[in-house]
Amino acid sequence: MAAKEEEVTLLGVVGSPFLHRVQIALKLKGIEYKYLEDDLNNKSDLLLKYNPVYKMIPVLVHNEKPISESLVIVEYIDDTWKHNPILPSDPYQRALARFWAKFIDDKCVAPAWKSAFIVDEKEKEKAAEELFEALQFLENELKGKFFAGDEIGFVDIAAVLIPIVQEVAGLQLFTSERFPKLFQWSQDFHNHPLVNPVLPPRDQLFAYFKARAQSFAAKRKN
Amino acid sequence: MAAKEEEVTLLGVVGSPFLHRVQIALKLKGIEYKYLEDDLNNKSDLLLKYNPVYKMIPVLVHNEKPISESLVIVEYIDDTWKHNPILPSDPYQRALARFWAKFIDDKCVAPAWKSAFIVDEKEKEKAAEELFEALQFLENELKGKFFAGDEIGFVDIAAVLIPIVQEVAGLQLFTSERFPKLFQWSQDFHNHPLVNPVLPPRDQLFAYFKARAQSFAAKRKN
């Protein structure tokens, strides 16, 4: 638990998988924090003050020091509170974890986002194909129950958004035939006692994605 | 220096700023390594074997274990050889370094690449504007001689490509009027005794970018 003098505040929007990454990391460490819900259509002064570069959630504020970008925050949490490690201690295993987390951000997030938000069928199909190709690499990489073995680690946390987005996009990529290992992983991960309480009910998830899809569509028109 | 039993091999293509990131990190640590020049138009079996996901350089192979993605490699080097630290030890300063390195990859690399490679004047102009906006954030962030203070650190290494690309693109963004601090930084960084020997002569840099531009243009046509 965080000592009494520690002030940990998290700015987020419920339903954002990037927020969930940080929430799972805090839960793994048993850190208590104050949660502030933001509004992406009417961003708070606090969000603009603490993340002037991207103006996006999540932002973790620890003793008045703000940190942005979900994976940077997760590494900060792991560097600050050393118990229940999220990244392995071996330099090579750490590098592999960072490599796959970056792979998820580079090769899964963009096409998954497109699959969920784009209305054009052809573009959507292309994005789904890209995602399919990327997931094949992850399927091959998954050797234990979780990416790092028996316990949840950095890559699992990074990957939280994949099952969510595929559900929202109605892609049904994670079937037991197509990606049997990822399918089992998504079940185990979702039902994990530290992860499950963090994930919001389906209607809140869908509400978040609907709002993001609308804002995404509006931006594409401009 | 690496102990005698350590085998460190680096796969690269001279002129690639991503390769230079790794070379500067190895130089900072004083690690000796075997360099293997690859050919992006005719990739070696070793590159395909060691980086089957991206099939891109740089790849560091340490005692037969391959690591890809330049910033992941730089963190690996820092985690493995602890002397002459590249990242700060304080968790918050580490997070800031990672945040800005990621910012450079997300907000500077893509528009810089486009400015250098795209022939369409309107697209080129838009990319230059995006880059200009991103550089303003970096200009404000630069408080000492280097990003972390008096010594070269993670953000400087990440930023190595900015002065190179702007020169290739003929952008002249780093003038003493526009970005006085970045201008001074690029001079100090380029002339640093650990960085200067790593950077290839101008004709090799230009040859690399010309080859990349051709392959980029060919891909856009398809």
Side-chain angles (χ1 to χ4, degrees):
Chain A
M1 293 289 162
K4 268 195 181 159
E5 66 274 24
E6 303 239 40
E7 269 187 45
V8 183
T9 304
L10 180 60
L11 277 65
V13 170
V14 167
S16 157
F18 301 104
L19 170 67
H20 302 325
R21 285 176 170 175
V22 178
Q23 287 177 310
I24 294 167
L26 289 167
K27 193 90 182 167
L28 272 170
K29 299 284 184 179
I31 304 298
E32 286 178 11
Y33 59 95
K34 185 174 157 191
Y35 175 72
L36 296 179
E37 175 77 4
D38 223 281
D39 177 354
L40 292 183
N41 296 316
N42 184 19
K43 293 177 182 177
S44 71
D45 291 343
L46 220 54
L47 178 57
L48 302 179
K49 174 186 162 190
Y50 282 138
N51 188 0
V53 178
Y54 293 102
K55 305 179 181 72
M56 287 300 288
I57 58 98
V59 178
L60 185 80
V61 189
H62 182 206
N63 296 335
E64 294 184 22
K65 287 176 295 195
I67 307 127
S68 314
E69 293 294 289
S70 61
L71 293 180
V72 174
I73 299 172
V74 173
E75 285 226 45
Y76 172 79
I77 290 169
D78 204 36
D79 279 345
T80 302
W81 295 284
K82 304 278 188 191
H83 61 285
N84 304 344
I86 293 170
L87 279 146
S89 59
D90 173 69
Y92 187 64
Q93 295 304 322
R94 286 172 84 80
L96 289 184
R98 289 189 181 119
F99 174 86
W100 287 110
K102 186 176 188 304
F103 175 82
I104 289 165
D105 267 2
D106 290 349
K107 298 290 174 188
C108 302
V109 171
W113 229 238
K114 279 186 198 162
S115 312
F117 294 157
I118 287 177
V119 229
D120 179 275
E121 278 307 316
K122 213 172 162 184
E123 269 189 77
K124 203 171 171 139
E125 208 175 290
K126 202 183 153 203
E129 264 171 42
E130 274 176 49
L131 182 58
F132 190 82
E133 214 172 284
L135 291 179
Q136 192 59 61
F137 279 109
L138 288 179
E139 173 79 7
N140 298 344
E141 188 51 27
L142 194 54
K143 281 162 192 128
K145 185 173 182 185
F146 296 110
F147 282 95
D150 293 337
E151 304 291 336
I152 285 176
F154 196 54
V155 183
D156 303 287
I157 291 176
V160 64
L161 58 89
I162 302 177
I164 297 173
V165 176
Q166 78 135 4
E167 198 183 336
V168 174
L171 282 176
Q172 301 293 344
L173 286 173
F174 284 7
T175 63
S176 48
E177 292 87 36
R178 278 185 160 177
F179 297 115
K181 290 194 283 179
L182 279 173
F183 176 74
Q184 189 54 49
W185 167 84
S186 73
Q187 306 285 313
D188 292 338
F189 186 64
H190 191 272
N191 295 323
H192 191 285
L194 290 175
V195 175
N196 193 269
V198 163
L199 300 177
R202 285 168 60 98
D203 57 337
Q204 281 187 17
L205 267 180
F206 276 74
Y208 168 80
F209 275 90
K210 204 178 157 192
R212 296 289 290 147
Q214 283 166 348
S215 122
F216 194 81
K219 266 190 199 156
R220 280 171 70 91
K221 271 189 193 158
N222 295 335
Chain B
M1 292 288 163
K4 267 192 182 162
E5 65 273 25
E6 302 237 42
E7 269 188 45
V8 183
T9 304
L10 181 60
L11 279 66
V13 170
V14 166
S16 157
F18 300 105
L19 169 68
H20 301 325
R21 284 177 171 175
V22 177
Q23 288 177 309
I24 295 167
L26 289 167
K27 193 88 183 170
L28 271 170
K29 299 284 184 179
I31 304 299
E32 286 177 12
Y33 60 95
K34 184 175 158 190
Y35 175 73
L36 297 178
E37 175 78 4
D38 222 281
D39 177 354
L40 291 183
N41 296 316
N42 183 21
K43 293 175 183 180
S44 71
D45 291 343
L46 220 53
L47 178 58
L48 302 179
K49 173 185 164 192
Y50 282 138
N51 188 2
V53 179
Y54 293 103
K55 305 177 181 72
M56 287 301 289
I57 58 97
V59 177
L60 185 80
V61 190
H62 183 205
N63 297 334
E64 293 183 27
K65 289 177 294 195
I67 307 128
S68 313
E69 293 294 287
S70 61
L71 293 180
V72 174
I73 300 173
V74 173
E75 285 226 45
Y76 172 79
I77 291 169
D78 204 36
D79 279 345
T80 302
W81 295 284
K82 303 280 188 190
H83 61 285
N84 304 346
I86 293 170
L87 278 146
S89 59
D90 172 69
Y92 187 64
Q93 296 304 322
R94 285 172 85 81
L96 289 184
R98 290 188 180 118
F99 174 86
W100 286 111
K102 187 175 188 302
F103 175 83
I104 288 165
D105 267 2
D106 290 349
K107 298 290 174 188
C108 302
V109 171
W113 229 237
K114 279 187 198 161
S115 312
F117 293 158
I118 286 178
V119 228
D120 179 273
E121 279 305 317
K122 213 174 162 184
E123 271 190 75
K124 203 171 172 139
E125 207 174 290
K126 204 184 151 202
E129 263 170 42
E130 273 176 50
L131 182 58
F132 189 82
E133 216 171 282
L135 291 179
Q136 191 61 61
F137 278 110
L138 289 180
E139 173 80 6
N140 299 343
E141 188 52 26
L142 193 54
K143 281 160 193 128
K145 185 173 182 184
F146 296 110
F147 281 95
D150 293 337
E151 304 292 335
I152 285 177
F154 196 56
V155 183
D156 302 288
I157 291 175
V160 64
L161 59 88
I162 301 177
I164 297 173
V165 177
Q166 79 134 4
E167 196 182 337
V168 173
L171 281 176
Q172 302 292 346
L173 286 173
F174 285 7
T175 61
S176 48
E177 292 86 37
R178 277 184 159 176
F179 296 116
K181 289 194 284 179
L182 279 174
F183 176 75
Q184 188 56 48
W185 167 84
S186 72
Q187 306 286 314
D188 292 338
F189 187 64
H190 191 273
N191 294 323
H192 191 285
L194 290 175
V195 175
N196 192 270
V198 163
L199 300 177
R202 285 170 60 99
D203 58 335
Q204 281 188 18
L205 266 179
F206 276 75
Y208 169 80
F209 275 89
K210 204 179 159 191
R212 295 289 290 147
Q214 282 165 349
S215 122
F216 193 82
K219 267 190 197 157
R220 281 170 68 92
K221 270 188 194 159
N222 294 336

